[in-house]
Structure formats: C-alpha cells, structure tokens
Amino acid sequence: MAIRFYLAPMETIVDGRGRRLTRVKYIGALGISLTSVNDYGNEPLCFLGADVTPAQHAALTANADVSPFPVDLDSTVGANLATVQQALESRNLPADDVTVNTPYRIMMRWIIAIFSITTAQPLFSGGVTLDTTLGQLTVAQRQELQAAAQSAGYSTAGLTLQSTIREALRKAVGSAGERTILGVVV
Amino acid sequence: MPVKVYGPDAFTVGADVNLNTYDANWEKVLPADASWAGVVQAKAATDDLRATNASAASYRWNGQTLVGQKILGKLLAGAGDYPGFHARLTPTPGGGANRVLGYLAEWQATENLIQIYRITEPGGVLTYATIASAGVVGNGSTYTGAYLRATGTNPVHLEYGDNTQGPFTFDDSNAARAVSGQPGVSFSDALPISIWIDDVEVWDEDAIAPVGNPWRLAIQQRAG
C-alpha cells in the first residue's frame, strides 16, 4: 500500500438511502478505503489522495479521466510540460504558472488553493471557460467567486469585469500553502 | 485546552423519552420530510439512544455555542444502518440556497469504513459530498471513543476515529466548508432494535483552561 495522489472525476448519484451524493468515481468499486478528497466546488473534479495497492493504482489510472501524480512529488514537470498543461486546462484549471521547473508538490498546492474558489452551482457550463470574463458571469456568480476568494484569504485586488476567470483563479496560486494529506506533506 | 461541556451521558431513563424532551439542549434538525421522519429516543430498556423507526434523524446539542468542538461516544455499527456524529451542524430551512449544513461522520458497516461527508444545500438540494474515508467498521461491532472533532475555519481541520483506529484527519478548504454550527448525533435507516449511540460527551476545543494551582502558588510565593 502507498499514498498516491490523483486528479479524478466526481460523480453525483442518489444513494440507497435516497440522498444526493457526490463521490469520487471508480474508487468504491476498487475497494479503496483510505481517501482524502479535495473537491472543486460543484465541478465534477477533485484532488484525491488515497492509500492504494499497485493493482488498485493500475486500475484507477486505466481510466482516461484519472491523472496520477508521480511518487516523487519533488520531481519537476520537465518533459511532461505539454501533457501536464493539457491535463490541467482540460479540467478548467489554469496552467499558466506551470513550467518545466515546477515541482509536482508545488503544483498540487496550487490546485488545492484554486479549488477553494468555487460557486454553488457548476461554473463551467453553458459555454463558460477559463477565458470567460467576470463581466460575462451573472452577478450572483461573481459575488460567490469573490466571497469564496476572500473567505480563503486571497486578494481580489486588480480584478475588474474585464478580468478572466483564469486571472481570478490564478490569484490563489500565489497564496497556496503547505498542508498535510494522509500524512504526506504537500 | 479542551474542556468537556456535556456528558458522559449514559441516558439512564425510567421510560422511553424523545431526546429533545430528555434534555432540551438537544434539538432535532434537518427538514421534517418523509426521509427525516425518525425520532431519537433515550430508551429505558437499554439506557442508550436509538431511532424509533426505519428512517433518519439528526439532533444537535445546543447547550453552549461552540466553534472548536468534539463529540464522542460509544456506538454500535450495523449493516444497512448508519450511526454517526455531526460537527458544525446548522439547521436548514429546507430551501435556502447553498446553506452549509456541516459535517457528518458515519460508521458504515455495509461499506466497511468510516465515511466523512460535508453536507450542503446547493440550489436547495440537500447534498452529501464524500470528502474522506478511513478505517474498518464491522457489522455488529461496538466502537468506544468514536469521535468527530472540528477546529479552525480556514481550513477547517477535521479529526475522527475511535479507540481502535485513527486519529484520521482532513483539512477542508472548500468554499462550502462549515465554519460554525453545533455538534450532533445522527441515525440513518435505523431500525428500533438495531444501532445505538451511548455515553455521549461534547468538548469545547477552544476553551481556555482555568488558572490552576501552580499559578496560585507562584502568586502566593511572590506575595510572601
């Protein structure tokens, strides 16, 4: 068993008790029991930490919508830059700050920080992308994003209606801090 | 230094009594619709807390407003039934958009683990987000010292476990994290003779310990 980290999809179901439930896709069927899930608000995405066997890891990453982080979190993105950028951008996570010299551990902090800026309903629907401007969002969406950012302690200085969601989310990157997940310092 | 503010309550009663009648500091929460029609009683025959029908019910303890908080007790896990503890539980009016309802730790014998949920109400729909899981929970097993602890606000630091496993931790930095609310007990799909919770304690995790004898001695020595 080993603690591994992933970007993984979330799914919404109605469970056997009639409850609306959001959960990480795949892991229940694989019998993975020790998990830590940082969800991206109501987007169908999470940062997953899990204690897995090699077989569970292989089965989990066999799914195209699961992206694993390497065992060595201090290794840098290096030659995987294009792949990493594509993996982030396709999940509505700005990859602007990722370079060949970015350690995965730092990138994980950025992702968790960005995940704290969310809205009650999925933001990236109806044609909304990272490059949609704040002025194109509804007033309620803007207020929710601002409240979430301020609650997390991130600056919103300099953001205007012409700023993009990408620019707003990147405000979190500079404030991302260390934390411990399943005993691993990230 | 944490200070115990309630319990341990063995729920010793002469006749079955609803929990909120047994002690007015316990308040039933969550909408009173069909899925949450259960009533929790202190039971005379067993001196513990049990639900009265196959449904669900949550009660929060309102004896003192708490931010940093821990609730613990002894519970029986059973397949198909779900005993658990809440932290930072707030009642919902049953329609308020995105109202944070708090955290729930369930000892799930069917799934064979302890599951942590963040309960919110986006768009007026009660939603359970699975945010952490750990441990092993057996059908018919009793767990003493089962607990859920919530401290801090950004992130919210959750700790959970029991006398046989843990502590397990999770830091919640989601925008919907629960920063206020009270500890509570939860029964879900409980049959009258199935799961139970007993010996409940509530702790104030932000309490400032009273000045003790060492200080008094030092002051006396200085005065002398």
Side-chain angles (χ1 to χ4, degrees):
Chain A
M1 302 285 280
I3 303 296
R4 296 294 304 264
F5 297 98
Y6 311 86
L7 282 176
M10 297 285 285
E11 62 180 358
T12 301
I13 64 161
V14 176
D15 71 5
R17 291 182 270 170
R19 306 181 308 177
R20 183 177 190 266
L21 196 74
T22 62
R23 65 182 185 185
V24 184
K25 206 172 175 182
Y26 309 124
I27 62 171
L30 294 175
I32 298 171
S33 60
L34 181 59
T35 63
S36 174
V37 182
N38 286 90
D39 45 346
Y40 191 6
N42 283 289
E43 309 300 326
L45 177 66
C46 75
F47 176 80
L48 169 67
D51 192 14
V52 294
T53 64
Q56 288 170 328
H57 174 75
L60 189 57
T61 55
N63 299 287
D65 51 359
V66 175
S67 294
F69 288 84
V71 172
D72 181 4
L73 299 179
D74 291 319
S75 63
T76 56
V77 170
N80 297 315
L81 180 62
T83 303
V84 168
Q85 287 175 326
Q86 195 278 334
L88 294 175
E89 291 280 333
S90 67
R91 292 175 168 90
N92 294 310
L93 293 168
D96 308 69
D97 299 288
V98 179
T99 70
V100 292
N101 296 317
T102 303
Y104 285 98
R105 189 188 305 276
I106 300 300
M107 192 170 66
M108 290 159 67
R109 293 180 192 171
W110 294 347
I111 291 169
I112 294 170
I114 288 171
F115 278 12
S116 63
I117 305 177
T118 55
T119 51
Q121 300 294 331
L123 181 63
F124 298 103
S125 61
V128 174
T129 71
L130 284 173
D131 297 315
T132 299
T133 66
L134 299 181
Q136 292 173 300
L137 300 177
T138 66
V139 172
Q141 287 173 318
R142 280 199 300 275
Q143 289 174 340
E144 284 185 55
L145 287 174
Q146 184 176 28
Q150 290 175 342
S151 170
Y154 304 143
S155 169
T156 58
L159 293 177
T160 68
L161 292 178
Q162 284 70 49
S163 302
T164 61
I165 295 175
R166 176 187 304 278
E167 292 167 321
L169 294 181
R170 289 179 66 195
K171 288 284 187 179
V173 169
S175 304
E178 180 180 296
R179 67 171 54 201
T180 301
I181 300 176
L182 300 179
V184 176
V185 177
V186 169
Chain B
M1 176 181 290
V3 170
K4 185 164 58 181
V5 294
Y6 174 78
D9 196 330
F11 302 106
T12 304
V13 290
D16 294 353
V17 58
N18 289 354
L19 179 55
N20 52 337
T21 302
Y22 166 80
D23 182 338
N25 286 325
W26 288 99
E27 173 194 20
K28 186 175 181 188
V29 295
L30 297 174
D33 62 22
S35 64
W36 292 94
V39 171
V40 170
Q41 290 186 329
K43 307 295 282 188
T46 50
D47 289 338
D48 54 27
L49 297 180
R50 299 185 186 222
T52 58
N53 57 14
S55 183
S58 289
Y59 288 68
R60 70 174 188 165
W61 183 79
N62 269 334
Q64 176 181 325
T65 300
L66 300 172
V67 179
Q69 56 195 247
K70 180 170 75 172
I71 182 166
L72 76 156
K74 181 166 66 175
L75 57 82
L76 173 69
D81 299 333
Y82 299 87
F85 292 120
H86 287 283
R88 297 196 173 161
L89 178 63
T90 57
T92 172
N98 199 32
R99 181 152 181 151
V100 172
L101 298 176
Y103 300 102
L104 170 62
E106 285 186 331
W107 272 251
Q108 300 183 339
T110 302
E111 291 79 4
N112 195 29
L113 46 72
I114 307 169
Q115 183 78 64
I116 306 293
Y117 300 100
R118 182 198 314 112
I119 312 172
T120 60
E121 198 178 30
V125 181
L126 208 62
T127 302
Y128 291 71
T130 55
I131 53 176
S133 61
V136 176
V137 176
N139 183 24
S141 296
T142 299
Y143 296 90
T144 58
Y147 74 99
L148 175 62
R149 178 177 184 264
T151 55
T153 55
N154 184 31
V156 174
H157 182 71
L158 298 174
E159 185 180 301
Y160 59 105
D162 53 48
N163 278 3
T164 63
Q165 53 197 335
F168 306 109
T169 61
F170 178 80
D171 284 340
D172 190 11
S173 55
N174 189 285
R177 66 191 180 278
V179 298
S180 64
Q182 294 293 103
V185 295
S186 172
F187 289 80
S188 181
D189 285 2
L191 296 170
I193 57 171
S194 182
I195 57 174
W196 47 258
I197 295 175
D198 201 1
D199 298 340
V200 173
E201 298 177 16
V202 174
W203 289 71
D204 178 356
E205 296 292 304
D206 293 331
I208 298 173
V211 175
N213 285 335
W215 285 102
R216 193 172 302 130
L217 179 61
I219 292 169
Q220 287 170 344
Q221 288 174 335
R222 187 178 180 87

